[in-house]
Amino acid sequence: MIDIIDYGAGNLFSVLKALEALHAQPQIIKTPNRYRGGKIVVPGVGAFGDAMQGLRATGFAAFVQEQVQKGKPVLGICVGLQVLFASSAESPGITGLNFFPERVTRFPATHKVPHMGWNQLDVRRETKLLRGIQSGEFVYFAHSYAVTAAEQKYAAAVCHYSLSFAAVIENENLYGVQFHPEKSQRVGMQILKNFVELC
Amino acid sequence: MLAKRIIPCLDVKDGRVVKGVNFVNLVDAGDPVAQAQFYDEEGADELVFLDITASTEARPILLDMVQRVAENIHLPFTVGGGVRTVDDMREILRAGADKISINTAAWQQPELISRGAEIFGSQCVVVAIDARRHGEHWELYTHGGRNATGGDALAWASEAQARGAGELLVTSMDKDGTRGGFDLPLLTALSETIHLPIIASGGAGAIQHFVDAVQQGQADAVLAASLLHFREIQIADIKKAFLENGIPTRYEQLSDRANQI
């Protein structure tokens, strides 16, 4: 049972369908009181500031913080990963959900921005989310901001572009992926399956 | 390494594929889901659906198609053709597309780029540029290549970038349909001024053309239609050539496919 929280962050349909294909009994919830008590997915496209504003306006910001405390598995996708951090260069002055103290930064102009397309995972440690995933496997990214991996000790896998950044975050019941697993074909579906099968 | 992408382009009309794979054992060659599945298995990195439906009343049919593709294929795809407003963009993205390609409407109302980027993020906004060479520069065309704008394609590319476009889909009208190779001077000129990912389109006729577009033209992705649809070249062959030339490529299914060839 997985609840995908809808705080106005655009395309939830693909995530919903990917989880349905995995028989995860997903549903989209628009308010915290629809929560069924299972796992939670925090999707996200668009800007960090808009996402945080949406999370606060709908009550989902406090809700996610509470459920993480209670030990519920939470998976942030793309901007949904970024909002787990303290702040972002994209939206100065806006505080994130603050589970991790780092600031999300913009890719330097040495390479093309957005970082768009299929790039490889560099797996740093064996984690639940990465079961069956090897270094070198490709996943689909589409983003201009990222968490620099060097100082991120919870990065389970990193990815190398103009700088190395956290591609997969995992700390106890808190998970995040910077790429779009729902668009990353076999590898992405394996990662979602791993999340579905967590106990 | 970030892989160079290979993108088949499918033309759709009233929710049906009118230009796609015809030669293989597809039960229904007009079915967008079957076409997408076919290219997914072939190793396509992404798909573009170009809606050539004339009437805007057919929009619900397109949205239904987008939903069915998103339901069945876990691969990124772009939808273009007839997108005129932020609401059009929102509907298509909500139905499961990853990116929206805008062309004529972007030129007519450039704020569509800015607003789209602001609301949905730059990564959702692809600006399609149709260009034809005139002497030393390239002129921008709209309306599917029918209208000359008098605008400079490179200057327009810069403006699109400044307004927040996340990617450019560049079609050389001089090369389109010739099968003589991508427009390398155009791609080179763009890559010298633009810092966005560029999808090269128009002129693909041989495997080497794809290699050249990436190595000489510095394209980030290459788009092809009939060449792939008619099975004259298969995606696996292009990826094999990429690997041999040291071009990063996503080779997911390549090993299996390569064994069959």
Side-chain angles (χ1 to χ4, degrees), chain B residues 129-133 138-141 153 171-174 186:
Chain B
I129 293 179
D130 294 344
R132 187 191 289 278
R133 186 158 198 153
W138 285 272
E139 186 176 357
L140 176 75
Y141 280 70
T171 303
S172 163
M173 294 172 58
D174 299 302
L186 172 62

Side-chain angles (χ1 to χ4, degrees), chain A residues 6 8-14 17-18 20-21 30 45-47 50 109 111-120 136-144 160-161 180-187 189, chain B residues 1-3 5 40-41 45-46 66-68 70-71 73-77 93-99 118-124 165-167 191 194-198 218 220 249-253:
Chain A
D6 182 2
N11 174 24
L12 314 180
F13 185 78
S14 301
K17 290 296 159 184
E20 273 177 10
K30 285 180 185 294
V45 289
D50 292 341
H111 289 48
K112 291 182 175 184
V113 182
H115 172 229
M116 173 94 75
W118 297 81
N119 206 336
Q120 289 167 293
E137 294 198 283
F138 285 87
V139 286
Y140 180 78
F141 293 90
H143 61 128
S144 303
H160 308 291
Y161 193 49
H180 287 277
E182 76 280 12
K183 294 289 179 173
S184 296
Q185 233 231 17
R186 181 187 62 76
V187 179
M189 291 302 275
Chain B
M1 291 284 279
L2 182 62
R5 290 166 281 154
D40 182 13
E41 282 162 26
D45 297 305
E46 209 171 302
V66 172
Q67 280 211 356
R68 284 191 294 119
E71 252 176 75
I73 313 295
H74 308 295
L75 208 61
F77 65 98
L93 291 171
R94 280 202 88 98
D98 298 274
K99 307 182 221 179
E118 206 181 289
I119 299 169
F120 312 113
S122 287
Q123 76 286 343
C124 293
E167 194 163 46
S191 63
I194 301 296
H195 306 287
L196 296 175
I198 290 171
Q218 296 180 55
D220 301 278
T249 183
R250 184 181 69 109
Y251 39 84
E252 181 75 37
Q253 293 107 336

